[in-house]
Amino acid sequence: MQITQAIEKLKQEKNAVILAHYYVDKEIQDIADYIGDSFYLSKVATKVDAERIIFCGVEFMGESAKVLNPEKRVFMPDATADCPMAHMATVEEIEKVKATYDDVAVVCYINSTAELKSHADVCVTSSNAVKIVSKLPNKNIFFIPDRNLGSYVAKQVPDKNVILNSGCCPRHANMTDDMVLAAKAAHPNAKFAVHPECVEDVLKHADYIGSTSGIIDYVVDTDAEEFLIGTVDGVFAEIQKRAPEKKLYTIKEDQTCINMKKVTLEKVLDVLENDTNEVFVEQELADASMKPLERMLALG
Ligand code: 13P
Ligand code: SF4
């Protein structure tokens, strides 16, 4: 039996559903029941009625799915697949900002640990951050952990005082102005679609800025033949499925997320077969981090 058939069979037997982020490899996206960006997947996780969720993504995604669905069993194909940015803020920093400003909301990008979320007022993803921040009653916003998404949000919501910390995504933050200029020179007719985790010097060249789903929809729906893509190249699979005639280029050579790439078909089969890598979140932490996640789902 082929590995994909074995996965399908076990999925039925164990009443499991597979969720995959657009950054995992195409062969994983191909066996998923739901593929999407972080916001879509966190909404789907609350709606599926399977007993088990196999989350093909990184730790904060599986952890959020578990927090939002305490009664379901959530599994990660690779327990070491983690987003480094999720750890790039501290509770001490949050306490310090809270002590400095009276009217401050702590806005926590979903790419963060449950511990950071538990100290936040609301969570956001790249697809709803502007909308949610603009709806908050507070003047001061402490945006953690991504300084690049935070600074993009600050520009879109100029009436707020957005305080940033120093976190960033190593994969997006290492794309530079020069790389974009070189890619534009090589492909002068290409439109440039980019993720807001990139630095401002890169975003200033964009024809479109948005989440992974937003980028995919923009490329599929825009009447142009060529596109420069300023995010992890996992999004190429969905674009090529929906609009195979489009030509896609990265702006640097290796535009992958090494942690997302840890997810393989063999590991998906293993968690289904052996119930390995189950996600557990301690009750008190789960309760505290559920509040900002649920507020995001309500406002987003
Ligand atoms: P999305 O919210 O666009 O899915 O992004 C998640 C992510 O990790 C980007 O690096
Ligand atoms: Fe984290 Fe960056 Fe990978 Fe997204 S691309 S999961 S932010 S390391």
Side-chain angles (χ1 to χ4, degrees), residues 18 56 138 178:
I18 299 180
C56 299
N138 316 71
D178 285 351

Side-chain angles (χ1 to χ4, degrees), residues 11-19 33-34 41-54 65 68-69 71-74:
K11 223 173 66 177
Q12 308 293 338
E13 281 171 21
K14 295 212 163 167
N15 191 10
V17 72
I18 299 180
L19 271 55
D33 298 291
Y34 300 91
L41 293 174
S42 54
K43 283 187 295 187
V44 163
T46 63
K47 299 215 166 85
V48 290
D49 58 12
E51 278 164 36
R52 291 160 187 245
I53 294 175
I54 313 299
L68 287 165
N69 299 280
E71 77 294 348
K72 289 201 199 325
R73 298 183 71 181
V74 178

Side-chain angles (χ1 to χ4, degrees), residues 21 23 36-39 58 60-61 83 85 109-111 125-127 169 172 195 197 210-213 231-232 260:
H21 190 268
Y23 287 168
D37 70 1
S38 306
F39 186 44
V58 287
F60 74 82
M61 296 177 173
C83 169
M85 180 164 61
Y109 191 22
I110 198 165
N111 296 38
T125 74
S126 60
S127 68
C169 162
H172 287 84
H195 198 280
E197 287 178 14
S211 76
T212 48
S213 295
T231 193
V232 168
M260 293 280 190

Side-chain angles (χ1 to χ4, degrees), residues 174-225:
N174 68 2
M175 298 183 202
T176 66
D177 188 28
D178 285 351
M179 289 172 188
V180 182
L181 291 174
K184 278 184 169 263
H187 308 286
N189 297 322
K191 299 271 185 205
F192 181 37
V194 63
H195 198 280
E197 287 178 14
C198 288
V199 299
E200 205 181 317
D201 254 5
V202 165
L203 298 185
K204 74 183 181 206
H205 297 291
D207 295 294
Y208 175 80
I209 302 172
S211 76
T212 48
S213 295
I215 289 173
I216 291 166
D217 290 344
Y218 169 78
V219 174
V220 170
D221 297 340
T222 300
D223 190 16
E225 278 174 21

Side-chain angles (χ1 to χ4, degrees), residues 150-177:
S151 103
Y152 170 71
V153 170
K155 289 220 159 44
Q156 311 306 309
V157 191
D159 54 313
K160 303 281 186 191
N161 174 38
V162 180
I163 304 140
L164 302 173
N165 84 326
S166 60
C168 68
C169 162
R171 315 312 297 173
H172 287 84
N174 68 2
M175 298 183 202
T176 66
D177 188 28

Side-chain angles (χ1 to χ4, degrees), residues 15 41 89 115 133 144 173 179 234 242-243 249 254:
N15 191 10
L41 293 174
E115 201 209 351
V133 168
I144 57 166
M179 289 172 188
R242 284 163 55 186
Y249 309 103
D254 183 17

Side-chain angles (χ1 to χ4, degrees), residues 41-280:
L41 293 174
S42 54
K43 283 187 295 187
V44 163
T46 63
K47 299 215 166 85
V48 290
D49 58 12
E51 278 164 36
R52 291 160 187 245
I53 294 175
I54 313 299
F55 213 123
C56 299
V58 287
E59 188 175 330
F60 74 82
M61 296 177 173
E63 199 174 56
S64 300
K66 179 66 189 174
V67 165
L68 287 165
N69 299 280
E71 77 294 348
K72 289 201 199 325
R73 298 183 71 181
V74 178
F75 298 86
M76 302 292 296
D78 188 311
T80 71
D82 195 5
C83 169
M85 180 164 61
H87 306 269
M88 291 186 192
T90 64
V91 174
E92 291 71 34
E93 283 171 287
I94 297 173
E95 295 306 334
K96 208 169 149 195
V97 171
K98 277 185 174 169
T100 311
Y101 296 90
D102 281 341
D103 175 33
V104 63
V106 178
V107 175
C108 187
Y109 191 22
I110 198 165
N111 296 38
S112 55
T113 60
E115 201 209 351
L116 287 174
K117 288 184 180 80
S118 73
H119 292 268
D121 295 290
V122 65
C123 288
V124 295
T125 74
S126 60
S127 68
N128 59 32
V130 171
K131 183 178 175 188
I132 291 178
V133 168
S134 64
K135 279 186 181 174
L136 295 175
N138 316 71
K139 168 83 180 159
N140 300 307
I141 305 294
F142 185 33
F143 196 99
I144 57 166
D146 187 4
R147 64 172 185 259
N148 294 317
L149 178 61
S151 103
Y152 170 71
V153 170
K155 289 220 159 44
Q156 311 306 309
V157 191
D159 54 313
K160 303 281 186 191
N161 174 38
V162 180
I163 304 140
L164 302 173
N165 84 326
S166 60
C168 68
C169 162
R171 315 312 297 173
H172 287 84
N174 68 2
M175 298 183 202
T176 66
D177 188 28
D178 285 351
M179 289 172 188
V180 182
L181 291 174
K184 278 184 169 263
H187 308 286
N189 297 322
K191 299 271 185 205
F192 181 37
V194 63
H195 198 280
E197 287 178 14
C198 288
V199 299
E200 205 181 317
D201 254 5
V202 165
L203 298 185
K204 74 183 181 206
H205 297 291
D207 295 294
Y208 175 80
I209 302 172
S211 76
T212 48
S213 295
I215 289 173
I216 291 166
D217 290 344
Y218 169 78
V219 174
V220 170
D221 297 340
T222 300
D223 190 16
E225 278 174 21
E226 298 179 74
F227 295 85
L228 298 171
I229 306 294
T231 193
V232 168
D233 63 9
V235 299
F236 284 27
E238 180 69 15
I239 298 172
Q240 280 156 352
K241 196 155 72 184
R242 284 163 55 186
E245 73 288 359
K246 307 261 170 170
K247 291 199 179 71
L248 310 174
Y249 309 103
T250 55
I251 62 163
K252 63 191 279 290
E253 231 168 60
D254 183 17
Q255 242 170 248
T256 58
C257 172
I258 43 176
N259 281 291
M260 293 280 190
K261 274 198 143 336
K262 288 180 179 173
V263 182
T264 62
L265 289 176
E266 289 72 19
K267 291 175 191 171
V268 173
L269 183 62
D270 182 56
V271 293
L272 279 164
E273 244 166 13
N274 302 313
D275 299 348
T276 41
N277 302 342
E278 183 161 3
V279 178
F280 295 102

